Amino acid sequence: MQVADSSPQIAYNGELQPLAELLAGVKRPGDFYVSGSLVAPLPRLDIKGVGTISFPLPEAQAREVIGQAERAPYGKGEQTLVDPAVRKVWQVAPSKIRLSGTAWPATFETILARVTQGLGCQQAPVTAELYKLLLYDTGGFFVSHRDTEKTQGMFGTLVVVLPSLHRGGELVVRHAGREVSLELATQDVSQLNYAAFYADCEHEVRPVTGGNRLCLIYNLIQRRGGSRRSKALAAPDYDAEIAAAAKLLADWTKGPETAPKLVYLLEHQYSPAGLSFSGLKNADAARGRVLVQAAQRAGWAVHLGIVHIEETGPAELTGYDPYYDRSGWGRGYDEDEGEEDEAAEDDFEVVEISDSRQYLSNWVDLQDRAVDFGKIPLGAGELFPEGALDDEKPDEQRVMEATGNEGASFERAYRRAALVLWDKKRYAQVLLQAGASAALPYLRQRIQEWSSRPESSSERSRSWSQVASLARRIIDAWAAGPHSYRSYLRDKKQAGKRVEMLELLDGTRDADLIGRFIEKVVVPQYDGGENAQLVACSRLLEPPKAAELFSALVQTHMPRLHGACVDLLSRLVSNQGRKPAPGLLAANRKIAGSTVKALSKINLRKEASPHAEREEDEDWEDDDEWGDEEVEGQEELKPVEANSVATLFDALRQLEAPKLGDAAAASLMADPETYAPDTVLVPALSRLHQQHGAKAADAAFWRLWKHAAEFLLARSEFPPREPTDWAQPVNLACRCADCRELQAFAEDPVRQVHRLRVRKDRRRHLHRVIDHYKLDMTHQTERVGSPQTLVCTKTRWTYEKRRQQYAQDIRHFKTLAAIAEKFPKKHQRLLDRMRQAIGRAGR
């Protein structure tokens, strides 16, 4: 097996060698504290004088425990004192308690294993010795102190909180300038919360504000027997390394043209689902803590992410086999499907890496929450330590054999977890590498920080200036990106991102930012999903500005998104209230005018008729003989819906704009193909009449009613006549012998079936001719002999379709008649003709 150049092509950052060497020296995992929760079978706890304890601890039993307990003392120098002002808690000696239960030993071993791993001492012989049982009733606490060594080898304390409902009582632990506050209150009847810390840590228990806390206290002991000498365990202290790393990060931003972010590869493999700061393993955990604390000191942001490196290029097969499987996965043929078949995937040499894609994704923040930053490109000089991926085996790899004029090629992909850091001043710069929408989580965070500050705070004003600057930068980057309708249609997430941005800007109440985003992003990229948020934001815009923006939007998108644009107008009109201000009314009328004007621009593409039955066999192949093929990537327009027409006229009625109604009616009447009288206008008129009755029946309404009635009467005033023979008159443009034979068959009034024994290319030609001229006949190949036979069979398809259409038109007559009957003076002559047509259809 040979694979030349198995390492990915990476531009490492050699200047970060000092930081890489510093981190390489950080090998011991663990921290000065650890905490967690475990749902498991509970122990049986018996207390002398009380009996078996129930969980969660009842109040009555808590009183009984206190009756058998004593006030816990504290140490002061060589003295042991009892002072409720310093320590207020009840203790029960271990000699008076008994822990049992078949599952308890395994449960406790699980807790101890987690504790030793979290403290970074899993390689040492550690045991836990029960020290006492404590009960903190309401008001119980312990001021800040350090534990004294109570037995030889003691290096820490373990607290296991038994199910006992209470509030407050946070355990605060401090070490080397750091402080954590641990919430230990249990929420589940089978839940055990635990915490442990090194003995040299300062810690306190804040007052329990309600209920009772019952907990077991253990001494953590390092056993050092015989002549074996081992260093005493102590909390990991990397303060010097943290300070040095913080300085290196701070100095990095001062350099000219430095990479915007730094990407430190971790040693262990992590899946995207399992990636978290709390789940980092061994040295990764220790180095992660150092980098996180250093970054926080230097004012940098830290996240976890997955580095993706994808490479393709030409390859040379070194283990070519004439029976090589051509499925594209590069496996050699082996009857036994043994090891040779497995190895064949790697039997190639890389000629060159012609294309490489490198990016980061699967982001996780310091609270182990997934963050939607998207795919941020990995830039040159951002990855370290140098050579970290040398000779690494790809996570995925395949080789494709040469086909046609194309030589053999390979594809491979590497995935590695990494810590990603950047100066917070470069936050927007980094996120915008993945596109403007990737910066939305950061913008949301900044807006929340700004809104949480007091109204009169000078910090709030400075914070807003930064937020507004960030928002403008995102908007401008968004506007500069690709925004063709087709590209955004493929990426459905973009519509949701625009909605999210509108919601964020609405929360700021900044009209300038809202207007800027609508103008630069929404107007060009609109897809209809933003309507609710656009209307919500419109109340913050000056009416003339809203009119300008939304008029531009509907003028741009009505031809393609007519339903969405009409819905936007309807929402804006409904939002104006019953007595809108003059400026708002004028603005909505202007938007409505733009909507009506754009009605004439809606021109639906004619779709191919399903008249002929296409036969699904190898004869059927697309060709461009008739020039009616679809353009690749062309978006299919949706037909106009009756509800949209009704919604439009309803909005015009609310705006009291009869001239716009007349103009809209004229556009609809001028294009009966787009605004079909039967499937669009009649249902729209019916809906308007049902909702508003006489109020809907204005001049435009009756113009459309008359247009629909005349159109349908011209088509279906009388029933269609059934054909008396099988003749189908047609004048085929093609005069080849096969087409002349086909025309003769079509015009024959008697023959129903005709058989043409012709070659495949001629059959395909006849398929296209029959479909193009919409001849009433099926055309199927009889696969017998050579050449095979095309069997054409005449049908009554056109007549049957006309009968169905006639039946539908009679139903439309009934709908129009029901409307007009309540207005006897309107179009009586047309109404009488429709009644007569309905009567004829019933006979």
Side-chain angles (χ1 to χ4, degrees):
M1 179 182 72
Q2 300 181 39
V3 182
D5 190 15
S6 62
S7 302
Q9 200 171 71
I10 293 291
Y12 292 102
N13 194 318
E15 296 179 13
L16 290 169
Q17 189 63 23
L19 181 56
E21 292 176 353
L22 183 151
L23 293 173
V26 178
K27 296 181 179 179
R28 180 184 167 188
D31 208 344
F32 65 90
Y33 78 98
V34 63
S35 67
S37 179
L38 183 69
V39 176
L42 300 176
R44 173 171 174 165
L45 174 62
D46 292 287
I47 301 178
K48 189 175 181 180
V50 179
T52 302
I53 300 299
S54 300
F55 296 120
L57 178 67
E59 177 65 29
Q61 226 175 22
R63 296 302 100 197
E64 293 181 46
V65 172
I66 291 174
Q68 298 297 319
E70 60 183 0
R71 283 293 183 185
Y74 69 97
K76 184 177 182 181
E78 296 182 355
Q79 295 180 298
T80 300
L81 306 175
V82 175
D83 185 351
V86 176
R87 187 181 192 188
K88 186 180 180 184
V89 61
W90 300 97
Q91 70 175 24
V92 178
S95 60
K96 299 179 67 174
I97 67 176
R98 185 178 65 171
L99 286 165
S100 59
T102 56
W104 174 241
T107 299
F108 187 75
E109 284 300 319
T110 299
I111 294 174
L112 186 60
R114 293 184 181 182
V115 165
T116 54
Q117 182 176 6
L119 295 177
C121 53
Q122 63 268 45
Q123 303 302 323
V126 174
T127 60
E129 179 183 87
L130 181 62
Y131 177 51
K132 62 179 65 174
L133 175 79
L134 295 182
L135 191 149
Y136 288 85
D137 55 355
T138 300
F141 69 94
F142 195 178
V143 299
S144 184
H145 64 287
R146 284 187 175 88
D147 287 341
T148 57
E149 184 175 325
K150 303 174 184 68
T151 186
Q152 186 176 4
M154 176 185 168
F155 70 91
T157 298
L158 167 63
V159 180
V160 178
V161 179
L162 300 170
S164 44
L165 301 180
H166 64 280
R167 300 184 303 277
E170 296 85 358
L171 174 63
V172 180
V173 187
R174 304 179 185 89
H175 178 73
R178 294 174 59 201
E179 176 182 296
V180 293
S181 179
L182 308 177
E183 174 58 65
L184 298 179
T186 55
Q187 303 297 327
D188 189 279
V189 69
S190 59
Q191 178 179 337
L192 295 168
N193 287 351
Y194 60 87
F197 46 88
Y198 281 92
D200 60 344
C201 294
E202 182 181 319
H203 58 283
E204 67 175 291
V205 178
R206 289 178 176 163
V208 171
T209 57
N212 301 281
R213 171 188 287 171
L214 188 66
C215 52
L216 300 168
I217 308 298
Y218 292 85
N219 295 325
L220 294 175
I221 299 170
Q222 177 188 13
R223 297 299 183 190
R224 292 177 283 173
S227 59
R228 180 181 176 184
R229 293 185 179 181
S230 58
K231 185 177 180 181
L233 291 173
D237 185 2
Y238 288 112
D239 196 60
E241 287 82 356
I242 293 169
K247 185 177 186 306
L248 287 171
L249 294 178
D251 291 343
W252 176 259
T253 57
K254 299 175 184 177
E257 300 180 0
T258 54
K261 61 182 179 292
L262 302 181
V263 182
Y264 179 71
L265 286 173
L266 299 175
E267 288 185 355
H268 291 273
Q269 290 277 22
Y270 303 90
S271 68
L275 188 62
S276 66
F277 282 93
S278 60
L280 294 180
K281 305 171 185 175
N282 302 325
D284 285 345
R287 293 164 187 168
R289 289 192 180 98
V290 168
L291 267 182
V292 166
Q293 293 178 54
Q296 291 172 335
R297 291 190 189 184
W300 282 47
V302 190
H303 292 80
L304 284 169
I306 301 290
V307 174
H308 297 259
I309 302 172
E310 301 167 357
E311 297 178 335
T312 61
E316 181 179 340
L317 301 179
T318 58
Y320 181 77
D321 189 309
Y323 296 102
Y324 189 83
D325 177 44
R326 298 175 186 270
S327 64
W329 283 95
R331 290 189 176 272
Y333 174 81
D334 190 321
E335 290 184 352
D336 297 328
E337 297 183 357
E339 294 183 1
E340 291 298 322
D341 187 42
E342 293 291 331
E345 283 191 21
D346 297 327
D347 284 350
F348 73 95
E349 290 184 355
V350 173
V351 176
E352 67 173 339
I353 298 172
S354 57
D355 189 28
S356 178
R357 184 181 182 217
Q358 303 172 5
Y359 62 93
L360 296 118
S361 66
N362 307 103
W363 299 93
V364 176
D365 67 11
L366 287 171
Q367 285 72 46
D368 286 340
R369 298 172 301 195
V371 185
D372 188 13
F373 286 157
K375 297 179 180 179
I376 298 182
L378 175 65
E382 294 183 341
L383 195 67
F384 77 109
E386 194 166 12
L389 293 178
D390 286 357
D391 299 321
E392 282 287 301
K393 185 178 180 179
D395 293 274
E396 292 180 10
Q397 178 171 274
R398 68 173 181 171
V399 60
M400 287 72 71
E401 186 193 353
T403 57
N405 296 326
E406 298 292 331
S409 60
F410 77 94
E411 295 177 356
R412 66 188 183 192
Y414 303 82
R415 290 186 291 273
R416 295 293 184 275
L419 283 158
V420 189
L421 308 90
W422 60 79
D423 189 339
K424 289 183 179 178
K425 297 175 183 176
R426 293 183 171 183
Y427 223 121
Q429 177 187 355
V430 171
L431 298 184
L432 289 174
Q433 292 176 329
S437 61
L440 294 189
Y442 180 53
L443 177 61
R444 181 182 296 277
Q445 174 190 332
R446 296 303 306 272
I447 290 175
Q448 290 172 346
E449 292 172 353
W450 161 75
S451 61
S452 65
R453 299 182 186 276
E455 289 284 348
S456 59
S457 169
S458 60
E459 284 296 323
R460 182 182 173 92
S461 177
R462 283 194 295 270
S463 177
W464 171 247
S465 176
Q466 295 170 355
V467 169
S469 176
L470 173 61
R472 283 191 293 270
R473 187 171 181 179
I474 292 173
I475 292 169
D476 292 344
W478 209 323
H483 56 263
S484 69
Y485 172 68
R486 194 171 301 144
S487 66
Y488 275 85
L489 192 67
R490 293 193 187 104
D491 187 359
K492 297 294 185 182
K493 290 184 178 180
Q494 289 300 323
K497 296 297 184 182
R498 293 192 293 277
V499 168
E500 183 180 352
M501 184 66 166
L502 286 168
E503 290 173 343
L504 290 175
L505 296 179
D506 185 34
T508 69
R509 305 186 67 80
D510 189 293
D512 290 338
L513 287 177
I514 291 170
R516 187 187 190 97
F517 182 67
I518 294 175
E519 178 181 5
K520 291 194 167 191
V521 178
V522 178
V523 168
Q525 302 178 14
Y526 174 78
D527 80 341
E530 308 91 337
N531 284 358
Q533 287 68 35
L534 287 172
V535 173
C537 289
S538 68
R539 73 187 193 282
L540 300 173
L541 300 171
E542 291 294 328
K545 184 64 175 178
E548 174 191 340
L549 293 174
F550 296 131
S551 293
L553 187 150
V554 297
Q555 288 170 5
T556 303
H557 296 287
M558 267 291 286
R560 175 175 49 81
L561 297 170
H562 31 80
C565 291
V566 169
D567 175 68
L568 176 60
L569 172 64
S570 175
R571 289 171 182 261
L572 290 168
V573 172
S574 298
N575 198 54
Q576 72 181 12
R578 294 185 177 181
K579 295 182 179 180
L584 181 58
L585 182 62
N588 285 338
R589 283 176 175 170
K590 181 178 179 180
I591 300 166
S594 298
T595 306
V596 170
K597 186 177 180 180
L599 289 172
S600 61
K601 298 179 181 179
I602 302 173
N603 185 14
L604 299 181
R605 177 171 51 84
K606 293 182 180 180
E607 298 184 6
S609 170
H611 177 272
E613 295 181 8
R614 288 189 173 183
E615 97 183 276
E616 297 180 359
D617 60 22
E618 72 272 13
D619 285 354
W620 186 259
E621 296 179 13
D622 290 333
D623 60 53
D624 57 1
E625 180 179 352
W626 299 99
D628 59 353
E629 74 281 359
E630 288 189 18
V631 178
E632 182 180 358
Q634 182 176 349
E635 303 297 345
E636 185 171 339
L637 302 180
K638 293 182 179 180
V640 175
E641 295 183 353
N643 282 344
S644 293
V645 172
T647 299
L648 173 61
F649 279 91
D650 187 32
L652 299 178
R653 181 188 60 80
Q654 293 181 64
L655 290 172
E656 299 178 354
K659 291 184 178 180
L660 289 178
D662 289 341
S667 292
L668 270 56
M669 294 162 56
D671 188 358
E673 184 175 0
T674 298
Y675 307 102
D678 52 349
T679 59
V680 177
L681 297 188
V682 172
L685 292 169
S686 177
R687 176 183 161 184
L688 287 169
H689 182 255
Q690 289 174 2
Q691 291 182 341
H692 306 294
K695 292 181 180 179
D698 56 10
F701 179 93
W702 286 114
R703 287 182 65 189
L704 292 176
W705 186 97
K706 180 175 180 291
H707 168 70
E710 291 176 339
F711 180 93
L712 295 173
L713 283 168
R715 186 170 72 185
S716 295
E717 188 169 5
F718 299 96
R721 294 182 178 180
E722 184 175 2
T724 58
D725 57 37
W726 291 97
Q728 297 183 30
V730 64
N731 184 19
L732 302 183
C734 179
R735 303 309 299 166
C736 70
D738 295 330
C739 283
R740 290 198 302 272
E741 186 176 349
L742 176 65
Q743 180 165 332
F745 167 64
E747 294 175 339
D748 192 310
V750 177
R751 282 193 298 161
Q752 286 184 257
V753 179
H754 185 61
R755 303 166 65 85
L756 293 92
R757 192 167 183 177
V758 291
R759 300 189 315 268
K760 179 178 178 179
D761 61 322
R762 302 309 302 161
R763 294 197 304 273
R764 187 165 62 243
H765 172 72
L766 291 171
H767 285 315
R768 299 288 290 182
V769 170
I770 292 170
D771 284 353
H772 181 75
Y773 284 92
K774 299 179 174 61
L775 297 178
D776 277 357
M777 62 180 68
T778 61
H779 41 102
Q780 297 180 342
T781 298
E782 185 180 88
R783 306 194 180 284
V784 178
S786 180
Q788 295 173 349
T789 302
L790 181 66
V791 181
C792 298
T793 305
K794 291 179 181 176
T795 67
R796 298 289 195 207
W797 189 88
T798 299
Y799 172 70
E800 292 300 327
K801 180 182 178 183
R802 181 68 190 91
R803 280 180 55 84
Q804 295 172 12
Q805 187 180 68
Y806 174 75
Q808 292 173 350
D809 287 349
I810 294 300
R811 289 193 288 271
H812 295 319
F813 285 150
K814 294 178 180 179
T815 299
L816 292 174
I819 295 173
E821 284 172 351
K822 298 182 180 180
F823 303 90
K825 295 182 180 180
K826 289 288 185 181
H827 307 297
Q828 188 64 46
R829 186 178 62 84
L830 291 175
L831 179 59
D832 290 341
R833 289 173 61 188
M834 286 190 292
R835 287 171 175 164
Q836 293 170 9
I838 294 170
R840 278 189 291 270
R843 290 196 291 269

